[in-house]
Amino acid sequence: MNKYPTVFVHGYIGWGEGDPIADHLGYWGQGKKNILAHLSSEGYEVHAPALGPYTSTWDRSCELYAYLFGGRVDFGKVHSEKYGHDRYGATYEGVLKDLGKTEAHKKINLIGHSFGGPTVKVFTELMCRGFQEEIDGTDPEDLSPLFAGGHGDLIHSCTTLSGVNNGTTFDMLSRPVLWLATVGVLSNEMLLGAPLEKERRLRLEHYGISGPKSAKGILQYAHNTWDTATFEMTPPFAEKLNAGQDTNPHIYYFAHRADCSKKFLGKRRLPAFRDTSAACRVTSLIMGCYLPPKFHVNPAWYPNDGFVNVLGQSAPFNAPQQDGEFGMEFQPGKWYNMPIIRGDHLWWNGIEAKKKELFAYYDRMLSMLQELPDA
């Protein structure tokens, strides 16, 4: 039985500790359904970093590393030059500076919701294997330990909750439309200006996106594909991302999934109203009845949680995997597709979830992680 800390990573447009909005609107449950407060009261050590709500899996991984160990965010010499932004970002104090140095903090459990799913996957990959392009293109004395790799022994488990592991058809738009959507979203953020920035920082200063003179940075960000969250949630991108990743034989991997849809005509699906919050009904209807052309998806993608298809939430297609369930004996080095719950994408955040059921699921999940032996 271990008591390793658990780090909860929010999804796209999300927030965490350090963002003022978290004081009155919790990402991980609100009010009496505050999941992190409940877990803390049960004796679990939990952390919920505030990462870039729009930044890529790579940039968020770099922020997560600084959040854990402290210091200034290093996005990498090669990476920053390749994608046209500053190399360094914000400075963090470090919540687990002793990670790997004490028995209590020997390892961590990572849990990512939605876009936080591929984020913890990329972070785990970097911690384990580093990144050869950064190693080859950076002076050894100037190389971030994250890109050097060799730190897989600090991670106990990697878990996704409705993670965009294989992409989502909700984001399957043509490149020009995705470009316009990206520019539109960030431009809107800039127009809202200071009031929104006080609630939740964009953390895109390395792109020059801060304040009224952000147009150039927004265009640079939208121009990229491999460093832009909007593109990174498409199935084709997820396939390329997963192709460069591998499981570590000493880490446990879990994909927890949700489905709020029900059978309609043939293989098409409709949202089940009792399982679907108002925020997910229209999107679930679209995803359950329409498959964008020119993409390699089929009707098996129709089941969804309102924002991510069940197939999208499942273990990476190219990874070793099997179906899993609570109470079974798990092996490291492979993904386990956990039983699909009846609920939508926001169930994990406590939206319209019953408090007793919500807390019971998280209790069971963290208890399971505590019981996993070191591999």
Side-chain angles (χ1 to χ4, degrees):
M1 180 75 74
N2 69 76
K3 290 191 175 182
Y4 300 147
T6 301
V7 180
F8 288 80
V9 177
H10 64 76
Y12 183 69
I13 317 182
W15 57 90
E17 298 169 351
D19 282 326
I21 190 174
D23 295 334
H24 51 267
L25 183 63
Y27 181 89
W28 298 96
Q30 301 81 40
K32 294 182 179 180
K33 289 194 290 186
N34 188 311
I35 298 161
L36 301 186
H38 166 73
L39 292 173
S40 294
S41 71
E42 294 291 310
Y44 296 104
E45 181 181 353
V46 294
H47 301 278
L51 307 180
Y54 298 104
T55 46
S56 65
T57 51
W58 175 283
D59 290 359
R60 293 171 116 232
S61 295
C62 298
E63 292 171 338
L64 179 56
Y65 184 84
Y67 168 83
L68 293 173
F69 293 96
R72 194 177 184 186
V73 178
D74 183 352
F75 297 111
K77 178 179 182 294
V78 176
H79 178 90
S80 57
E81 291 175 354
K82 185 174 183 179
Y83 295 105
H85 61 69
D86 294 341
R87 176 176 175 178
Y88 298 103
T91 299
Y92 290 82
E93 293 184 6
V95 298
L96 290 171
K97 291 182 178 179
D98 63 344
L99 184 58
K101 300 177 182 178
T102 65
E103 187 60 31
H105 291 168
K106 181 180 177 182
K107 299 185 177 188
I108 56 172
N109 295 302
L110 296 167
I111 296 180
H113 171 246
S114 191
F115 193 55
T119 300
V120 297
K121 285 168 64 262
V122 169
F123 179 77
T124 299
E125 178 70 15
L126 287 172
M127 288 287 283
C128 291
R129 297 200 299 171
F131 196 69
Q132 196 61 46
E133 285 187 22
E134 291 292 341
I135 295 173
D136 294 340
T138 311
D139 187 302
E141 297 296 320
D142 194 32
L143 181 69
S144 167
L146 176 62
F147 308 134
H151 310 296
D153 58 334
L154 299 181
I155 299 176
H156 187 54
S157 65
C158 176
T159 297
T160 63
L161 310 177
S162 283
V164 198
N165 301 336
N166 296 302
T168 170
T169 59
F170 181 67
D171 196 39
M172 288 175 64
L173 305 170
S174 66
R175 180 166 180 171
V177 175
L178 280 176
W179 184 90
L180 286 172
T182 303
V183 171
V185 167
L186 293 182
S187 296
N188 185 59
E189 288 266 7
M190 292 300 99
L191 289 174
L192 291 174
L196 187 59
E197 182 74 1
K198 289 180 180 179
E199 289 293 315
R200 185 208 58 191
R201 284 186 53 207
L202 288 183
R203 293 177 170 81
L204 280 168
E205 292 86 353
H206 58 297
Y207 265 103
I209 303 176
S210 178
K213 298 181 179 180
S214 302
K216 183 178 179 181
I218 291 175
L219 292 176
Q220 175 64 51
Y221 175 80
H223 170 75
N224 294 331
T225 51
W226 275 85
D227 203 40
T228 304
T230 320
F231 287 93
E232 293 188 9
M233 289 187 282
T234 63
F237 180 93
E239 183 179 9
K240 294 178 182 178
L241 184 67
N242 291 337
Q245 297 179 354
D246 197 4
T247 55
N248 184 294
H250 305 294
I251 297 174
Y252 297 91
Y253 299 84
F254 301 94
H256 294 262
R257 303 166 295 168
D259 184 4
C260 66
S261 64
K262 62 181 181 180
K263 290 184 179 179
F264 177 43
L265 292 175
K267 295 184 178 181
R268 288 179 171 79
R269 314 278 287 194
L270 287 177
F273 270 48
R274 65 176 295 179
D275 300 318
T276 314
S277 62
C280 293
R281 286 173 186 167
V282 174
T283 53
S284 179
L285 174 63
I286 295 172
M287 294 175 67
C289 295
Y290 172 71
L291 293 176
K294 299 182 181 180
F295 286 93
H296 299 293
V297 293
N298 56 59
W301 283 77
Y302 281 136
N304 68 86
D305 69 359
F307 285 108
V308 186
N309 317 81
V310 173
L311 281 180
Q313 304 168 40
S314 300
F317 294 146
N318 64 319
Q321 59 190 272
Q322 72 176 72
D323 290 337
E325 59 182 29
F326 289 108
M328 69 179 288
E329 184 176 339
F330 298 103
Q331 297 176 349
K334 69 165 63 173
W335 279 87
Y336 288 90
N337 285 313
M338 301 301 284
I340 300 168
I341 67 164
R342 290 301 303 171
D344 66 23
H345 195 71
L346 304 179
W347 187 92
W348 310 103
N349 307 100
I351 303 298
E352 297 191 14
K354 294 181 180 179
K355 175 183 173 182
K356 185 176 181 180
E357 294 177 1
L358 182 71
F359 285 177
Y361 195 97
Y362 276 90
D363 284 343
R364 199 174 186 187
M365 181 166 52
L366 265 67
S367 176
M368 179 190 77
L369 297 178
Q370 277 196 346
E371 294 171 359
L372 295 174
D374 286 350

